[in-house]
């Protein structure tokens, strides 16, 4: 069985050299190279074609996020594992959108880092415990409701909102700077789209959806 080839990209020599020394002692792993900037990381991923690129987010020349995006385009066979101190939602999801398969914090145990490298090399997605909780929390959070009556145009929704608030056609026209005939046309379209037969029925539907308040 061939060894996993890993490139380590981090601008801090202590982290970079320490991780390289650790991985060199792990059976089945081979450190193919290191990089100290985002640009070097992309170049190493393309020229060395490792199985895994371990990448920090905060890097000179090019951020780890941008580097991951370029690697995904130029060397899609290279699995990217983010190893960073940043655990905010924006960084995590930006990394995932850029193509990273894993996201582990620098405070992780050595065994966890090794396990994560093997996991992304096998095509799995993996997150450190704290990051995993954030991802799961985001995925299970209730989504904000969409705008009511998506079949209506923005202007029709504005007219319906004013109808539900008790405004007559003349008042609606004044507020929205619309001619009376235009207001009437919008109302006819609203009734047809909502399949209601009267203004009263339209008001009930609108208020049930939170309009007119």
């Amino acid at each position: 069985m061939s060894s996993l080839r890993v490139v380590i990209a981090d601008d801090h020599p202590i982290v970079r050299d320490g991780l390289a020394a650790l991985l060199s002692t792990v059976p089945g792993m081979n450190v193919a190279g290191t990089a100290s900037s985002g640009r070097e990381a992309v170049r190493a991923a393309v020229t060395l074609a490792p199985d895994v690129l371990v990448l920090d987010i905060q890097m000179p020349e090019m951020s780890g996020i941008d580097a991951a995006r370029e690697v995904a385009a130029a060397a899609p066979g290279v699995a990217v594992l983010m190893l960073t101190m940043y655990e905010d939602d924006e960084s995590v999801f930006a990394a995932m959108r850029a193509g990273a398969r894993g996201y582990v914090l620098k405070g992780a145990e050595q065994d966890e880092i090794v396990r994560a490298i093997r996991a992304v090399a096998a095509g799995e997605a993996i997150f450190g415990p704290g990051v995993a909780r954030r991802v799961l929390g985001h995925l299970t959070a209730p989504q904000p409701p969409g705008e009511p009556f998506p079949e209506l145009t923005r202007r029709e929704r504005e007219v319906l909102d004013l109808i539900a608030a008790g405004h007559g056609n003349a008042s609606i026209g004044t507020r929205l700077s619309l001619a009376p005939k235009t207001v009437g046309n919008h109302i006819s379209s609203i009734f047809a789209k909502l399949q209601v037969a009267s203004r009263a029925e339209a008001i009930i539907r609108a208020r049930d959806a939170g309009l007119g308040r």
Side-chain angles (χ1 to χ4, degrees):
M1 183 177 177
S2 60
S3 296
L4 281 180
R5 301 179 68 253
V6 183
V7 165
I8 301 163
D10 198 296
D11 61 328
H12 292 96
I14 294 176
V15 175
R16 187 175 65 246
D17 297 343
L19 186 56
L22 164 67
L23 296 182
S24 66
T25 67
V26 176
M29 281 199 188
N30 172 38
V31 178
T34 61
S36 59
S37 72
R39 183 61 63 192
E40 283 183 13
V42 175
R43 187 159 53 244
V46 172
T47 59
L48 299 176
D51 298 293
V52 179
L53 169 64
V54 180
L55 186 59
D56 191 9
I57 284 183
Q58 187 65 45
M59 299 275 280
E61 294 184 19
M62 175 189 292
S63 75
I65 301 294
D66 290 335
R69 191 176 294 111
E70 289 208 9
V71 169
V78 178
V80 174
L81 172 67
M82 290 295 186
L83 180 63
T84 180
M85 68 176 65
Y86 295 94
E87 56 179 323
D88 59 287
D89 291 355
E90 183 178 349
S91 296
V92 173
F93 294 115
M96 295 301 103
R97 286 191 294 269
R101 290 187 194 167
Y103 199 106
V104 178
L105 299 180
K106 283 185 175 178
E109 297 290 334
Q110 293 180 350
D111 288 349
E112 185 182 337
I113 296 173
V114 171
R115 186 167 64 250
I117 291 172
R118 287 181 171 143
V120 297
E124 300 174 22
I126 189 164
F127 306 95
V131 177
R133 283 192 293 272
R134 287 176 175 273
V135 173
L136 289 173
H138 177 81
L139 294 176
T140 57
Q143 297 300 307
E147 278 199 293
F149 310 119
E151 65 270 32
L152 301 182
T153 66
R154 182 181 60 82
R155 178 63 83 190
E156 288 169 349
R157 199 174 294 111
E158 290 173 344
V159 171
L160 181 59
D161 186 45
L162 291 173
I163 290 174
H167 293 276
N169 289 17
S171 175
I172 293 172
T174 299
R175 285 173 173 267
L176 300 181
S177 300
L178 298 176
K181 183 178 179 180
T182 304
V183 174
N185 289 340
H186 281 313
I187 292 174
S188 295
S189 177
I190 291 167
F191 283 16
K193 289 180 179 180
L194 298 187
Q195 297 182 347
V196 297
S198 68
R199 198 180 191 95
E201 193 177 348
I203 289 173
I204 292 171
R205 289 280 306 278
R207 287 182 176 173
D208 284 346
L211 298 182
R213 295 176 180 174

